Structures are given as structure tokens and as C-alpha cells.
Amino acid sequence: MENRKKGSKIIVAFFVAILLSLAISTFITSHMWESASIIIALRDMRKQIMLNRAIVLSPIIFFIELHFVVDINTLYTKIFRYRWILGGIVLVFLVINKYNGDSLACYNYIQPNFQTELGEPFIGEERYIRSDEYRVNSPSVLSSGKGENPYGQYTDIARGTKTVNGVYGVSARLGTVAQAPWKLVFLILPLEYAFSFYWYFPIILAFLVTIELFMIISRKNALVSTMGAFLVVSSAFWLWWSFPFIFIAGEASIICTYYLLESKVVWKKILFAIGFSLAFSNFVVNLYPAWQVPLGYLFLVIAIWVIREKWDEIKALNWKQWGIIIISILVSIGLIFSYFFDNIEYIQAIMQTAYPGDRRQSGGFSINKVFYYVQSLFYAYKDVGNASEAGVFFSFFPIPTLVAGYCWIKSKKKDWLVGGLLLISIPMLIYTTVGLPATIANITLLSYSMPERVVDIIGYIQIYFIVILMSRYAKKRKFSIGTASIIAIAVAGSAVFFSKQSYPEYLSGWSLLIMVCIISAGGIVLLSNFKRTISKIFCIGMIIISVITGIYIRPISKGLDTIYEKPVAQQIEKITKKDPDAKWIALGGTGNASFITMCGAKTINFVNFYPNMELWEKLDVNHNYQRIYNRYAHIDIDFVEGVTRFQEVSPDAIRIKLAYSDIEKTEVKYVFSQVPVESNEKIEFSEIYGEDGCWIYEVIYKSQG
């Protein structure tokens, strides 16, 4: 009878959640507080936006209502037990509804009068700072299925010439299994559904994998592990940086190694062996040394600790079990070689570029960045400029390092994990404060990173220390309340100082006071010995802070209307089907080049992942500008009289002043522009489309008659 009543309450809560979500979304969408009457508001509101807000809000409201229907401990115990199943359900929910978190709505400056109702986020707002996402990654992925060789090893849409497809796009090759196997979903699902899966799968997987690693480190402390996962995946660093999956690949490699050694069941060992092969190959082939090198040190330390923890299991392995391990290593090596084979042209070219291939450093003062956690909670709500560069983990640095070091020294039995993390922190701290001699920087490979990137990993290591302090070191004797208070307040003051030094006008008044109180209180908890209740409150508090930090960073949009429902996009697709070999130029900014690339146009000035040296050297016969264009670069083109010139705008952006007399060398047939283009004595620009601020011209070279 009791279960029947509880079931009835859950059903009622479900329907109440639907009604509440509809009411809330109607209220938000119709802006009733500004309307003269409810009738006018309901008539004018955007019904598709309202409906999709309701769809997203319903499960959230239902979850909140469950707290009043089901015993809270039982509720969270079941959620944690079935977390992987629930993660899968959330992913299916998002994919079925074609939701994504991209900022493609930034393209609404193109034909703004033809914007559809779902051409903008229905929750949150587009983030212009995420240009690498909506101008590079998404166009590469969305254009991969277009052209004569969809999802092939090469594409000629990006850069308007033969281009390796497996680095930024989607390639139906074995190398993609090593780099990002979830991209292969584009071979199975329709485009909008596949894009949704591509977008949300890494986030959900990251959260679940991070919980698993912290469960190992915390010795199965569920609350602490969940807190650690929120501090990582919901951080300003993670969400503003577009989910750097290399972190999760390293974590997954450790998890699979641990359970491969621990499991007694053969099929489970095989499953974890497959997981290791995929994760380790992913870590290796995601070639970004700036994070890869310091992360390599971190995961090496954890791997050594795991091997020591599981030494007895290793000694007990039989020949079949060793066979599984050896095969998994060989598979991983095979996947890595497949990736390099598929993308060797890109790898060779990028290593010879002025940027990023020729980038070497020996460190310098950047440690101030790690203290930006005092302000990072507000980035989604108050513009800070470049939130990606300023994004950090909420880490309480240097308190976790200080307390972990103190406890490690005072312990009679030394913890290898803590000792290893402290050991690798030393060169990183030196590298990000005073720098290292060039020779040592080269030997340690830190020269391939930059101090502002190594700082990110220092913040990441603090989360590991926090998990350890709140679990394995929870009963260790630490500092007195008085000493802890002095240190915590001093750290909060230091965070404020560095924040004010770099962003003097960003935080002030109540927001600054609140953050000082939070950092001081949290620091005292980490520095002192408290009862379990206080520690539990700390963990819940950190989860709440993480949710507030991350929940509004990414918008939620439905489908790809913002691109493909625009008349100019449909016109470009029509032209490319009729004239598939034609090359294009987009004038008026690098965003225009990305837009027409998504529509299938072979665009010579789409971002060059690696430089199109053959083309640029045609325009620069004497190689006067080689260092400028020999780089990864967003490319803006203007037509000018006189001679062609190349200008460096930033390390990853160039502008080409393309002389009319040189346009023919590019073999371009069509031009997309947001301003009218005038013909001259050398070239005729024949208008074939013009509407709502967008023009498409066919290029007719007068030299050819």
C-alpha cells in the first residue's frame, strides 16, 4: 500500500512538473510583465521557444518535486547507483529533441530579416568568444558530409583544396576511432540528430568518467567524488574552453587500467582493455602539447600509484590475462599509427609553421591566473572579455597543495599519490612564476607548453588534492582554527589582489565580499579538522557553486535553422550542387567564410588548419610574407588595387589584401559578400543573387575573353 501511494505521488508530481514548466516558459517567453494584457501576450509569444523551454524545464521541476515525494537519501543513492543509465537517458532526450549547445546563432547577422523562431537559443545566449567552436569546429564537422567524397580521408571544401579531414572534420577512417569515435555518429544519424550527439556526448561522458576516477582516489566516497566531478566539468575552465577531451582521455585511461587489473571476470577485463585502447590512443593523438605535456606528468603519477596499489593483482595475472593487456596495448598503438597515417600531411605541415609549430617558451610569471577563481563564477553573467583565457578551476589555490603537503610530511606512511602530485607540482610552479632555464624547459618538455596553460593544470591538480583532503585525509590532524583562519583570509586577499590587478573594474561591492567569504570559509574547512556534517556541507556548497558557475555558460539551441533556413544558405547549396568544382571567396570577415563552408562552398579563405602554401606562394612569388601565412590562421580577404599584401592580425589570424590582378591566380568562380562588389577593367562581378544584405557574384575574368 505504501509503495502504491508513493507511486501515485510520483505520477502526480510528473504531471504537475509538465504544467509548471508550461506556465513558467509561457511567462518567460511572452514577457507578461511588459504586456498590457495576458491575451496580447499569448497572441504574440513565440510558441516554439515556449514549448522547448517547457520540454527542458519539465524534468528539472520533476526532479525538484521528487525531494518532497521520495526519501532524499534513497533518491540520491539510486541516482548515483544508476548514474550511467541516467546519463544515457539524458543523452537520448537531448538527441531526440535535436538540442545543441553551440553558438551558431552568432551567424544571425547574416540575413537577420529571415531569422526563424528556432534560429536563436531558447535558453541562454550565444557566446561570441567561442569562435573556435562556431567558426572552426562546427563548420568543419558540418561540411564533412558535403562534396564529392562525404566523410572521406580528404575534403576539398575546407580551404577550397585537398585538405585532411580527420583532424577537425569527420572522416570515416580508423584514425577517427583514435581521435574522437563519437564523430562516427554522423555516418548513422541524420545531420541535426548527429550534431546533437556530437555536442553532448563528450560532456556527459566527462562527468561520469571524472566521478569514476575520483571514486578510485577517494576510496568510494560518493559525495566527494561527485563534488570533484562538478568542480572539473562545471568549471569556468572546462565550459568556456569547449570541453578539452584530452583531460577525460587521460582519466579514462587510468580508470580502465585500474579495473582491468581489479576485475576477476574475463569479459570485464576485455571490456576495460578496449576502453584503455580507445582512451590512451585518444590522449596521444589529440596533439595539443600545451596541455598534453603537463597532463602527461599528472597521469603518469596516477598510473604509477595505480600500479603500486594493484601490484599483488599484477603478480597474480596468468598468461591469458597478460594476453588481454598486451593485445590492448597493441590495439592502442595500431589506432595511434592509423591516426598519424591518415593525417600525416597535416602533422608535417603544422610542425613547420611559424604558429603554432615554432612556438617554444621557458616560462614566466603567470601564476596570477590561477587566482581568478574569485571572479570566475560570474563570467556567464557579466562580460569579462576573453572568458576562455580567464577561465579557471574553482581550486582554492594554494590551500589544497599546502594542506596536502603538510599532511604528507606529518604522515608516517607516505602516500605515493600525494607525494607524486606534490613532486610534479614543483617544476610547474617554478615554470609559471620565475621560469626555467631553456635547457631544463626543453628536457622536461615544458617548453612545448606556455605558462598560462601550465597554470590550468596546476588548478586541475588542486581538485585532486581537494578530493584527497575530503576523503583519505579527512581524519588527518591539520591546522588549528586560528591558523586556518589566518591562512584562508590571506589566500582570499591574494585572490582579490590578483583579480583586481588584471581586471580592476570587474568585481566590486557585494559580489566581491561574498566571494571573499566563500573562499575564506571553504579554505578554513580544507585547512582544519571538522565533523562530518561540516565536510558534507562543504561538498554540497561546492556543487552548488559549480552549478551556478556553469549552468548559464552554454546556450541551448534546437537544430540548425540558424544556418540552413536562411535563403542565402539554400542558394549556396543550390549553386554548389550545380557547380560542385567551383571555388569561392567570402569577403567581409572570417565568419562569412565559415558560413558558406557549412553550406558546401569550396572556400579558399576558410580557416587554414594548416597553410595552403601552394596557393599563397602563387600570390607571394618572392616569399616576402611567408612567415605571415605559414601558420594556422583565420583568413580575411579584401580586394584592392595595386599589389597583393599579407598582414598578421594576431598569432592565429591574417588579412590578405588581394589585388584584382591576382584574383585569377586563385581560380575562384564565386564571391560571397555583404556589400556590393563593383566590376573593373580586369574582372567582372556578375550578380546572381542579392537579398537582405547578402550578394553572390560569379567572377568573369576579362583576360579570358
Side-chain angles (χ1 to χ4, degrees):
M1 182 65 70
E2 184 66 29
N3 289 335
R4 186 177 298 175
K5 287 183 179 179
K6 189 180 293 183
S8 299
K9 289 180 180 179
I10 291 173
I11 293 171
V12 170
F14 176 75
F15 285 106
V16 170
I18 293 174
L19 293 173
L20 276 175
S21 64
L22 283 169
I24 293 169
S25 59
T26 301
F27 182 80
I28 296 172
T29 304
S30 60
H31 304 290
M32 288 182 184
W33 57 87
E34 296 176 357
S35 302
S37 72
I38 294 177
I39 295 175
I40 294 174
L42 291 173
R43 183 192 66 192
D44 295 339
M45 71 183 176
R46 296 170 291 177
K47 296 180 178 60
Q48 286 294 320
I49 289 181
M50 180 202 75
L51 177 62
N52 281 281
R53 283 176 174 163
I55 289 172
V56 170
L57 286 172
S58 294
I60 296 173
I61 295 172
F62 178 62
F63 171 69
I64 294 171
E65 289 176 345
L66 285 178
H67 289 69
F68 303 96
V69 177
V70 181
D71 175 70
I72 292 178
N73 288 330
T74 302
L75 175 65
Y76 281 99
T77 298
K78 288 188 178 296
I79 287 174
F80 193 81
R81 180 183 301 168
Y82 300 110
R83 58 191 180 277
W84 283 90
I85 295 173
L86 289 173
I89 292 171
V90 170
L91 181 60
V92 170
F93 168 80
L94 294 167
V95 171
I96 287 175
N97 286 289
K98 300 188 291 187
Y99 295 150
N100 68 76
D102 212 303
S103 291
L104 290 172
C106 291
Y107 290 104
N108 278 329
Y109 70 88
I110 295 175
Q111 292 191 320
N113 293 320
F114 289 99
Q115 180 177 324
T116 65
E117 187 177 339
L118 290 174
E120 62 181 22
F122 61 87
I123 292 179
E125 59 187 78
E126 60 271 25
R127 301 296 182 179
Y128 287 89
I129 193 62
R130 289 301 316 137
S131 57
D132 280 350
E133 193 169 81
Y134 64 86
R135 288 190 182 179
V136 183
N137 296 334
S138 295
S140 300
V141 166
L142 294 174
S143 66
S144 294
K146 299 181 181 294
E148 297 175 359
N149 186 26
Y151 305 119
Q153 182 178 1
Y154 295 95
T155 177
D156 53 3
I157 294 178
R159 306 190 311 155
T161 188
K162 181 182 175 183
T163 302
V164 170
N165 202 23
V167 179
Y168 290 91
V170 181
S171 175
R173 305 273 296 184
L174 190 58
T176 301
V177 177
Q179 189 232 19
W182 57 91
K183 284 185 178 181
L184 297 176
V185 72
F186 284 93
L187 307 178
I188 304 169
L189 297 180
L191 186 63
E192 290 182 315
Y193 297 98
F195 190 69
S196 178
F197 184 94
Y198 157 81
W199 227 93
Y200 283 115
F201 175 81
I203 307 173
I204 294 172
L205 182 64
F207 183 72
L208 294 171
V209 164
T210 306
I211 286 178
E212 295 302 326
L213 180 59
F214 287 148
M215 282 288 282
I216 293 171
I217 290 174
S218 68
R219 299 193 176 111
K220 307 296 183 182
N221 189 314
L223 179 59
V224 171
S225 300
T226 303
M227 173 200 67
F230 271 103
L231 285 172
V232 171
V233 179
S234 194
S235 66
F237 169 83
W238 183 266
L239 292 176
W240 283 106
W241 263 117
S242 190
F243 335 123
F245 198 80
I246 189 173
F247 286 71
I248 305 310
E251 292 182 4
S253 299
I254 299 297
I255 294 165
C256 290
T257 300
Y258 183 90
Y259 287 114
L260 173 59
L261 296 173
E262 182 178 84
S263 178
K264 306 299 183 185
V265 182
V266 173
W267 71 265
K268 288 185 178 181
K269 283 187 178 291
I270 293 173
L271 187 64
F272 289 119
I274 294 170
F276 172 83
S277 298
L278 293 172
F280 184 73
S281 61
N282 184 282
F283 182 82
V284 173
V285 305
N286 276 277
L287 300 173
Y288 188 61
W291 284 329
Q292 206 168 26
V293 171
L295 279 175
Y297 282 111
L298 168 62
F299 292 126
L300 177 62
V301 162
I302 301 175
I304 292 172
W305 171 74
V306 166
I307 290 171
R308 187 174 184 276
E309 289 283 301
K310 295 296 177 184
W311 188 245
D312 289 338
E313 287 87 340
I314 292 172
K315 290 190 294 183
L317 291 173
N318 58 40
W319 67 270
K320 289 182 180 179
Q321 294 166 339
W322 274 113
I324 293 172
I325 292 172
I326 292 170
I327 290 172
S328 71
I329 294 171
L330 292 175
V331 169
S332 185
I333 292 171
L335 290 172
I336 292 167
F337 274 105
S338 295
Y339 177 83
F340 286 130
F341 177 80
D342 288 347
N343 302 286
I344 190 64
E345 182 180 327
Y346 164 81
I347 295 166
Q348 290 176 339
I350 203 69
M351 289 177 65
Q352 297 171 17
T353 56
Y355 174 90
D358 194 33
R359 185 170 56 186
R360 296 287 189 281
Q361 295 196 29
S362 56
F365 188 80
S366 294
I367 197 66
N368 58 319
K369 177 185 173 182
V370 78
F371 288 98
Y372 293 169
Y373 56 78
V374 71
Q375 62 187 36
S376 64
L377 183 149
F378 300 94
Y379 291 166
Y381 312 98
K382 182 180 178 181
D383 184 36
V384 72
N386 193 334
S388 298
E389 289 292 343
V392 295
F393 295 100
F394 199 93
S395 67
F396 292 96
F397 178 86
I399 290 174
T401 297
L402 175 65
V403 182
Y406 177 81
C407 292
W408 187 81
I409 292 170
K410 298 286 287 184
S411 299
K412 293 182 179 180
K413 185 178 180 181
K414 304 302 182 187
D415 188 316
W416 277 51
L417 178 58
V418 174
L421 293 175
L422 290 169
L423 180 64
I424 62 169
S425 296
I426 294 171
M428 293 187 194
L429 288 169
I430 296 173
Y431 187 75
T432 55
T433 50
V434 297
L436 290 169
T439 303
I440 296 177
N442 287 327
I443 292 172
T444 59
L445 303 180
L446 288 174
S447 61
Y448 289 95
S449 185
M450 303 93 77
E452 59 270 23
R453 297 290 176 267
V454 175
V455 164
D456 298 332
I457 309 308
I458 291 174
Y460 183 51
I461 292 173
Q462 304 312 299
I463 309 302
Y464 284 80
F465 281 140
I466 290 173
V467 169
I468 291 169
L469 292 173
M470 300 306 294
S471 55
R472 291 157 54 162
Y473 280 8
K475 296 180 180 179
K476 294 281 185 183
R477 187 173 182 82
K478 305 182 183 77
F479 298 95
S480 66
I481 295 293
T483 303
S485 300
I486 293 171
I487 296 173
I489 293 170
V491 168
S494 299
V496 171
F497 171 78
F498 285 117
S499 173
K500 284 291 186 181
Q501 191 178 51
S502 300
Y503 301 90
E505 305 298 325
Y506 189 69
L507 281 190
S508 59
W510 284 104
S511 56
L512 192 62
L513 179 61
I514 289 170
M515 293 311 299
V516 167
C517 292
I518 289 173
I519 294 169
S520 299
I524 292 171
V525 173
L526 290 172
L527 284 157
S528 306
N529 289 90
F530 283 96
K531 292 182 179 179
R532 187 178 178 183
T533 302
I534 299 297
S535 298
K536 193 173 181 179
I537 292 171
F538 172 85
C539 292
I540 295 171
M542 289 301 98
I543 291 173
I544 293 171
I545 288 173
S546 299
V547 170
I548 294 171
T549 300
I551 195 169
Y552 195 67
I553 291 176
R554 294 301 182 154
I556 303 179
S557 301
K558 184 184 181 75
L560 298 168
D561 282 7
T562 192
I563 304 298
Y564 297 117
E565 287 301 311
K566 294 185 183 295
V568 69
Q570 295 168 4
Q571 185 67 25
I572 293 168
E573 290 183 320
K574 182 179 177 181
I575 294 171
T576 57
K577 287 179 182 177
K578 183 180 178 181
D579 195 359
D581 296 326
K583 295 183 180 181
W584 294 61
I585 280 179
L587 303 179
T590 59
N592 288 349
S594 297
F595 178 84
I596 69 172
T597 299
M598 283 186 279
C599 300
K602 297 180 178 179
T603 312
I604 69 168
N605 62 314
F606 177 57
V607 60
N608 276 206
F609 317 132
Y610 57 105
N612 186 356
M613 297 297 286
E614 182 180 353
L615 174 59
W616 306 141
E617 287 176 352
K618 281 184 184 179
L619 305 176
D620 179 33
V621 178
N622 297 320
H623 298 173
N624 295 325
Y625 301 102
Q626 189 176 65
R627 183 164 181 82
I628 293 178
Y629 55 74
N630 182 24
R631 66 182 62 232
Y632 171 104
H634 298 258
I635 300 170
D636 188 14
I637 291 181
D638 296 323
F639 294 153
V640 298
E641 297 287 353
V643 297
T644 297
R645 305 183 304 278
F646 292 78
Q647 299 172 345
E648 182 179 340
V649 178
S650 66
D652 65 349
I654 65 174
R655 180 174 293 112
I656 302 175
K657 299 290 186 179
L658 181 58
Y660 287 106
S661 57
D662 282 341
I663 295 177
E664 190 171 352
K665 295 179 182 178
T666 68
E667 302 176 1
V668 162
K669 187 173 181 180
Y670 297 101
V671 171
F672 172 83
S673 178
Q674 288 190 284
V675 295
V677 180
E678 299 292 335
S679 301
N680 55 42
E681 68 278 3
K682 300 181 183 67
I683 292 180
E684 179 184 344
F685 296 100
S686 176
E687 181 181 325
I688 58 177
Y689 176 85
E691 189 177 19
D692 195 23
C694 289
W695 286 266
I696 299 174
Y697 297 92
E698 183 177 355
V699 181
I700 301 172
Y701 300 104
K702 294 182 179 180
S703 63
Q704 298 176 0

